[in-house]
């Protein structure tokens, strides 16, 4: 009956989520002794303007990084 | 001040959510002694490729079930 | 596969939670067409010093209400 | 490592979220002693038909209010 | 910046959580392309009287199972 | 009707939470145009063995840091 919620930047493919769900469920079974069928998991996509780290939106952090990366 | 969060497969109508919100709030009042106006509730729609049970995405479980249901 | 999370002021009995879980699950089945066994639900008890409404902790709101209620 | 999740009615601009993320992170640092870079925050937009208060959907409460506001 | 929240029945050891956190983080890096240091994870222990499945509290389901298991 | 959930390392005092709740609510009103009384907020204390960052439990990261800090 464990329930896992994963907030994740938007943009992953279904194939990536498929593999991640399988691998994380396997880890829950192996390390925590859960039964395989009891594990439920939800991915929640988050847009770059809806995350912040250190008080700055992810879209702003990426834009700043893009500017600094492109400096000569 | 109870706060309820319901993660739910996408596809319910507003009318279904309207009735569910009313019935669940009534249950909170009746069984837990909350005041009616204090109960807040949020529905969070989840797509079939964002849920997993037993390590498999819901979209894959449904596709597999569809194939097995259609067997002669 | 719906998953419900209920943040609730501490202090309810197990019997109250038992009845609330049953009634809320019934409402999910009746109003949203979920299967009974697919509904999972978690209660999360919250202490009065861990909730705030309108910027004030619940313990402070209750203390203020107690003082005003006891006024002659 | 504090993590903040804000469920919010849809409709705010990125500029509003930018300022709110900065101000809330500053409050976490100032009042709780978190380091600035450790604070992460996620906004989760909620549509008016996915919130309920007192058992009524927000879209219904607004429609009712609109009707009562427009009474002569 | 992915954030994972795992609601889990109470009773796991710190060593179990240590291994699960490492394995799940590895899965996030390998399958979803997250950077290792960006993954944060929170375990939330849930008591058996605070979970319900199919409308019944986990403590009641376990008690019923115990009774049926001990039948001659 | 915004609802805020703050997962926070255990150990803050009620006075710290009181000031943080007030400051964060003020920020919600000022930057997002919420009404003051509509903002609800829940603090959720997390123990050091229930957080992980980069795949390591916070208790382990602190122990490692303590050892490295005490090096001559």
């Amino acid at each position: 009956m464990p329930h896992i919620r994963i907030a994740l930047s938007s943009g992953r493919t279904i194939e990536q989520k498929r593999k991640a769900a399988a691998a994380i469920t396997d880890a829950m079974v192996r390390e925590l002794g859960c039964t395989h069928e009891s594990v439920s998991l939800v991915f929640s996509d988050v847009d770059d303007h809806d995350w912040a780290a250190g008080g700055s939106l992810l879209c702003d952090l990426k834009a700043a990084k893009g500017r600094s990366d492109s400096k000569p």
Side-chain angles (χ1 to χ4, degrees), chain A:
Chain A
M1 222 165 314
H3 183 72
I4 306 172
R5 191 173 178 283
I6 302 181
L8 189 70
S9 286
S10 295
R12 264 66 176 209
T13 65
I14 295 183
E15 179 60 15
Q16 286 180 299
K17 291 180 178 179
R18 178 179 290 126
K19 288 183 174 173
I24 290 168
T25 299
D26 284 348
M28 296 290 291
V29 172
R30 195 175 58 243
E31 306 299 351
L32 296 173
C34 306
T35 64
H36 200 260
E37 65 275 14
S38 70
V39 180
S40 68
L41 183 153
V42 171
F43 292 106
S44 170
D45 283 7
V46 181
D47 289 331
D48 282 356
H49 56 262
D50 281 327
W51 276 109
S56 298
L57 297 183
L58 204 53
C59 55
D60 295 338
L61 294 172
K62 287 187 177 176
K65 189 169 183 306
R67 279 195 301 274
S68 95
D69 284 354
S70 63
K71 278 179 186 166

